[in-house]
Amino acid sequence: MIRSLQILRAGPGLTIQDLGRPGWHAYGVSNGGAVDRMALYEGAALLGQTANCAALEMPTYGGDFLIEGDCRIALTGAPMVAQLDGVKLVWNASHKVTNGQRLSIGAATTGVYGYLSVSGGFQTPEWMGSRSAHLAANIGGLLSTGDRLPVGDDPNEGGMSVFLPERDRFSGGDIRVVTTLHTSLFSNAEVERFTQTNFQRSLRSNRQGAALTFDGLPFTPDAGQTILSEPMIMGDIQMTGDGYPFVLQSECQTAGGFARIAQVLPCDLSTVAQATPDRVLRFRFVTFEEADLAYQSYLTDLKNLRGQTRPLLRRVEDIRDLLSYQLISGAVTGWETDMPEDCK
């Protein structure tokens, strides 16, 4: 039987995402891929497969899905209310699902982007070496009700359900940044004010970038009108014409002429993407040496994720077919003749 996932009801903004398509920057196509890359690595570790397997990215809300064929799924990223045939599922964990079961994923309880990974990955068409939808470049598109997503072969068929300890990247907090070629265009006072300001992620944010709001005067570079259009990448913090910062994300433009006051470390980009408008973000400059150490530690953590998984134990109250289990194997009457005297 060909395995697939049918979308019975699509939440807003559903897309297929993997690690993106690096190497096309010169042609005007940014990397793209999942906004929260850590979530893809977590899903891969839970399912025992490579991190570039395509998954479903769900901003703020999931939807209803029909499982066609037995497979395993993993739920990562922003925790959402998830149920399988009415039974609540543990987030940041993998689960076995069978043909005909209905998966419902509701609203995020914290954070923004949730992810549904499947064993074998979604086998949607590839474009330029990636299955990721890149909405800004008109590659792929949003998923809708009625779509059927083919699923690949399980590389670890029969694997047990496991979970990962949750990493709190949904509460905002300090975001590490390094200087750019444009940082010196801002006065020392402006840079200092930037590091002392509390920012919130605006509802205007999308896969191209996180728009930030704050109290106070706009940030203005001393020589903002002299900047030529230059290459831009994920993590750049550009100051738009109105003086408000914009943290570039996976579908960012490849070139621009706005001043970039700083650049977010790759290991902190997920925290920016997952910040809801009620969370506070503060930027802290670190040296390039500190940034490199942080990034190497991040890469090591990604490699070690699979070793951090733990068996997922089912709660008795969640087992609907409990009576079908053999629960009395090895039971005794209590009157066996070979029992010790003090046990009779």
Side-chain angles (χ1 to χ4, degrees):
M1 179 179 182
I2 298 177
R3 302 190 306 160
S4 62
L5 184 81
Q6 183 181 357
I7 302 178
L8 303 178
R9 183 168 59 93
L14 291 186
T15 58
I16 291 293
Q17 299 296 336
D18 53 28
L19 294 179
R21 45 182 63 82
W24 296 94
H25 200 276
Y27 299 93
V29 180
S30 54
N31 187 90
V35 176
D36 182 356
R37 296 167 71 87
M38 172 66 82
L40 286 192
Y41 282 94
E42 290 173 334
L46 291 167
L47 295 173
Q49 59 191 20
T50 64
N52 204 39
C53 286
L56 189 65
E57 183 176 88
M58 306 173 290
T60 70
Y61 192 89
D64 294 329
F65 311 93
L66 179 66
I67 310 297
E68 298 177 323
D70 298 350
C71 66
R72 294 177 300 127
I73 64 171
L75 303 169
T76 58
M80 296 176 166
V81 179
Q83 294 183 329
L84 185 66
D85 284 346
V87 177
K88 185 176 180 180
L89 295 180
V90 176
W91 202 262
N92 228 43
S94 63
H95 305 274
K96 295 179 180 180
V97 295
T98 58
N99 181 46
Q101 287 193 296
R102 180 167 174 153
L103 173 66
S104 297
I105 302 178
T109 57
T110 185
V112 180
Y113 293 94
Y115 292 83
L116 168 61
S117 299
V118 294
S119 53
F122 290 111
Q123 299 298 302
T124 52
E126 285 192 14
W127 294 89
M128 301 158 65
S130 171
R131 305 183 197 277
S132 288
H134 195 305
L135 305 180
N138 200 28
I139 299 175
L142 296 175
L143 299 173
S144 57
T145 299
D147 286 345
R148 183 176 274 105
L149 308 175
V151 175
D153 295 330
D154 191 339
N156 189 24
E157 192 169 358
M160 66 186 304
S161 297
V162 294
F163 75 96
L164 275 169
E166 183 179 305
R167 286 169 169 74
D168 184 15
R169 56 185 182 277
F170 313 106
S171 301
D174 281 359
I175 305 298
R176 292 165 294 184
V177 298
V178 293
T179 59
T180 73
L181 291 174
H182 296 166
T183 304
S184 61
L185 298 180
F186 296 82
S187 68
N188 292 337
E190 284 286 80
V191 173
E192 178 68 18
R193 183 165 69 93
F194 174 75
T195 62
Q196 297 299 317
T197 298
N198 291 335
F199 295 95
Q200 288 84 37
R201 186 175 176 275
S202 167
L203 291 174
R204 297 190 299 117
S205 303
N206 54 33
R207 286 179 45 79
Q208 290 181 271
L212 303 181
T213 61
F214 62 96
D215 294 328
L217 296 174
F219 291 90
T220 305
D222 293 337
Q225 304 302 317
T226 66
I227 300 173
L228 300 176
S229 186
E230 297 177 352
M232 308 187 82
I233 60 173
M234 285 186 294
D236 278 341
I237 306 178
Q238 65 173 18
M239 288 294 178
T240 56
D242 57 5
Y244 279 74
F246 200 88
V247 182
L248 301 188
Q249 296 188 152
S250 60
E251 288 189 12
C252 65
Q253 67 272 31
T254 56
F258 289 121
R260 290 162 288 158
I261 193 170
Q263 185 180 64
V264 177
L265 270 58
C267 36
D268 286 356
L269 274 174
S270 292
T271 303
V272 176
Q274 294 285 14
T276 50
D278 60 326
R279 301 298 186 180
V280 171
L281 299 172
R282 290 173 65 96
F283 296 102
R284 176 170 62 88
F285 280 95
V286 297
T287 66
F288 286 101
E289 292 75 18
E290 291 171 327
D292 184 60
L293 287 174
Y295 185 60
Q296 295 304 320
S297 176
Y298 168 72
L299 293 179
T300 299
D301 189 29
L302 294 182
K303 292 179 182 178
N304 295 335
L305 280 175
R306 190 177 301 186
Q308 298 172 23
T309 61
R310 296 293 180 267
L312 180 64
L313 303 179
R314 297 177 67 185
R315 300 187 309 167
V316 173
E317 57 268 32
D318 289 339
I319 305 178
R320 291 189 171 185
D321 55 346
L322 183 62
L323 295 181
S324 68
Y325 285 76
Q326 223 298 29
L327 301 177
I328 60 172
S329 177
V332 297
T333 64
W335 300 104
E336 277 70 8
T337 56
D338 58 346
M339 292 180 66
E341 287 297 323
D342 57 352
C343 293
K344 291 184 180 180

